[in-house]
Amino acid sequence: MIYNTLTNTKEEFVPLQEGRVSMYVCGVTVYDDIHLGHARSIVVFDMVNRYLRLIGYDVTHVTNFTDVDDKIINRANEEGVDALELSARYIERYYQEIDSLNVLRADIYPKASESMEAIVAMVQDIIDNGYGYATEDGNVYFSIDAVKDYGRLTNQSLDDMVAGSRDVMQDPLKRNNMDFAVWKAAKPGEVSWPSPWGPGRPGWHIECSAMIRDRLGDLIDIHGGGNDLIFPHHENEILQTEAVTGGTLARYWMHNGMLQVRDEKMSKSLGNFLRVSEIIKNHDAQTVRFYLLNTHYRGPLVYAEGSLEEAHSSLRRLWNGYRELQAYLREPPGDDDATDIIASARERFHTEMGDDFNTRAAISALFELTREMNRMTSAATLSHQGAEDALRLLQEADSVLGILPVDKEVAEMDQVVSILADVRQELRRRRIFDLSDLIRDRLKEAGIQLEDAGEGVKWKKT
RNA sequence: GCCGGGGUAACAUAGAGGCCAUGUGGCGGACUGCAGAUCCGCAGACGGGAGUUCAAAUCUCCCUCCCGGCCCCA
C-alpha cells in the first residue's frame, strides 16, 4: 500500500510492468550545502528504493540536479564564479554528503544543463500542441487556459489559488497571470543555451518533465519529493507532460513531510537550517537515519536540541542486542530456536513496511524482537540456530533502514580489544581493580566501552 | 481566505472502535567489587465540547492551537 497524494488515499501498489518500478524523485537546486530537511527526503526515498528492491522489484531510481536556476546565477555572481562551476561544486558535495549518510546512490542523476535537447524538444511540443506561446522577448509560457482540470494534486480550484496568491511581479506579456515560464530568455551575461526562441534557459518545472520523459518514459510508477513541491512544481509537471503525451505522468505521487525547527520549516530561505556536513561531524550515519526513519515519512518532524542524542540512545539498544547475538554464537547454546518469535517479528516488519512504508512501526517490531532475544541470550536458552535466524532478520531489516553498526570495523578491532580485555579479566580475577579500571577507563577515552557480563566481556564503540 | 498535515503519558513517536503500543527519561527490584549492559516490575495518555455506539484516542459535528502549501523550497 502506498499513500497517493493524487487521490489522498492509500492504494495497492501495482507497477506498470510486473517486477519493475520506475521512480523519479525531485532532487535539489545546487547552490548551497544540503540540510537535514533535504536529508529527510533523500533518506526516505532511499528507504523506499531499498525496500522495493528487498521485496524483489527491479527499481530504476532517478533523481535530478537543478543546476541552472536564478538562485545559482545569483550566488555565482556574488562569488564571481561561473554558474555551472558553482553548481558542479555543490553536486560534488552532495554526493559526499549522501554517501556519508549511507544512502544508496540513485541509478541516474540527470542534470538540467545536460538535458537541453530533451527540454527544448518538450517546449517545442508544448507550443505545437497549443499549450504554450512564445513572447516577443524570448520567453515561453505555458498557457493555463488551455487546460481543463487544474489542481488535481493540490485539490484546489484555480479560482481559490488566484484569490489567495500574493502579488508578484508579472510579465505584462503573459496572457494569464497563472501562466508559468517553461523557457526563460537570457539576460545579458547569463548562462544560456540556444533555442528556437532565442538564447535562454529552462523554467523550473520543465526540466523534471523533460528528464522523466527522457530517462524513464511517458508514464512512471512513482514520483516523489517533499510536500512543499506539490504546488506549483508537481502540478505544473503534470500539465506539461500531459500537454505533450496526452497521458498522465505518474501513477503514485509520494510526498514526505517537512522537517521543522522550533515550529518553523527548516529551509534555506528561512536561514534556519542545519547542514548535513555539520551534523555528520558529531553523529554517525546510523543515528541520523534512525532519527529520520523513526517517524512516519508523511508526517511533520520537529527537530529540537538533543533530538539526535536521544535517537542515539535509542539506537544503542538495538546495537547492544545485535552485538549480543553475535557474541552469543561463541557461547554454549541453548536449545530454543525461537522460531515463532522470529517469524512473527519478520511478518510484523513486512506488514508495517508494506503499509505505506511505516518505518516507525517496523522499527518497533525490531525493538520487541531485541527484548525477546536479550531475554533468551541472558538466560542462555537460545540456540545457535535461533541466534543466526534473528541476526539474519535484523540484517534483512537493516538492508532497508541502514541503522545497524558496520560489522567490518567491529571484526577488525575485535582481536585487539579482546587482548586488552583478557588482561583486564586476569587483573580482576586477582582483584587488582585499580589496574583493571585503568584499562577500562583508557579504552573508554578511546571510544570503546567494555562491559562485564556474567560469562565474559563485551565491548562496543560509544 | 482556500487546500493539506498535525495536537497521544516528562520527551519523541506508532496506532485508528473493544485486545499488553515502542523508545528515551524517571522510580523500585534482580545481577554486580565499581561502572555498564540486560531482565522483571511501577507510575504516567490520547487538545476542548457535544453526538453515534453495548463499547470511541480511534467514527460524526462544532471549537481551539500548531505546522506547511498558495513567490522560491526536500
Side-chain angles (χ1 to χ4, degrees), chain A residues 94-105:
Chain A
Y94 176 95
Y95 283 136
Q96 282 172 18
E97 284 163 16
I98 68 164
D99 286 351
S100 73
L101 289 174
N102 191 17
V103 168
L104 241 51
R105 295 234 185 151

Side-chain angles (χ1 to χ4, degrees), chain A residues 94-241:
Chain A
Y94 176 95
Y95 283 136
Q96 282 172 18
E97 284 163 16
I98 68 164
D99 286 351
S100 73
L101 289 174
N102 191 17
V103 168
L104 241 51
R105 295 234 185 151
D107 299 292
I108 311 173
Y109 285 101
K111 298 174 196 146
S113 65
E114 293 172 0
S115 310
M116 285 303 158
E117 267 180 60
I119 291 170
V120 169
M122 193 148 192
V123 173
Q124 187 61 256
D125 284 350
I126 288 172
I127 295 173
D128 292 347
N129 291 347
Y131 285 91
Y133 56 94
T135 61
E136 59 213 42
D137 48 11
N139 292 308
V140 180
Y141 289 107
F142 188 96
S143 179
I144 218 77
D145 295 319
V147 295
K148 328 163 269 307
D149 52 340
Y150 189 82
R152 260 166 297 163
L153 208 52
T154 327
N155 192 23
Q156 245 185 124
S157 76
L158 201 52
D159 296 340
D160 288 337
M161 282 184 286
V162 176
S165 64
R166 295 168 225 180
D167 292 331
V168 282
M169 284 281 284
Q170 290 288 3
D171 181 343
L173 296 174
K174 273 191 189 179
R175 294 179 191 166
N176 182 320
N177 269 349
M178 290 299 284
D179 289 352
F180 56 92
V182 288
W183 188 262
K184 293 180 168 182
K187 299 192 192 83
E190 281 182 357
V191 274
S192 66
W193 285 260
S195 83
W197 318 282
R201 59 198 157 85
W204 179 36
H205 316 298
I206 193 71
E207 63 172 70
C208 287
S209 288
M211 288 190 269
I212 289 171
R213 193 163 188 230
D214 188 34
R215 306 293 187 152
L216 291 170
D218 286 353
L219 174 60
I220 62 173
D221 290 305
I222 298 173
H223 190 128
N227 69 13
D228 53 348
L229 296 180
I230 294 173
F231 182 89
H233 187 54
H234 289 163
E235 199 71 61
N236 290 346
E237 273 183 49
I238 292 176
L239 298 182
Q240 292 167 158
T241 297

Side-chain angles (χ1 to χ4, degrees), chain A residues 300-316:
Chain A
L301 176 58
V302 181
Y303 177 84
E305 194 74 36
S307 290
L308 286 165
E309 285 76 10
E310 189 178 327
H312 186 68
S313 301
S314 300
L315 184 56
R316 282 209 356 223

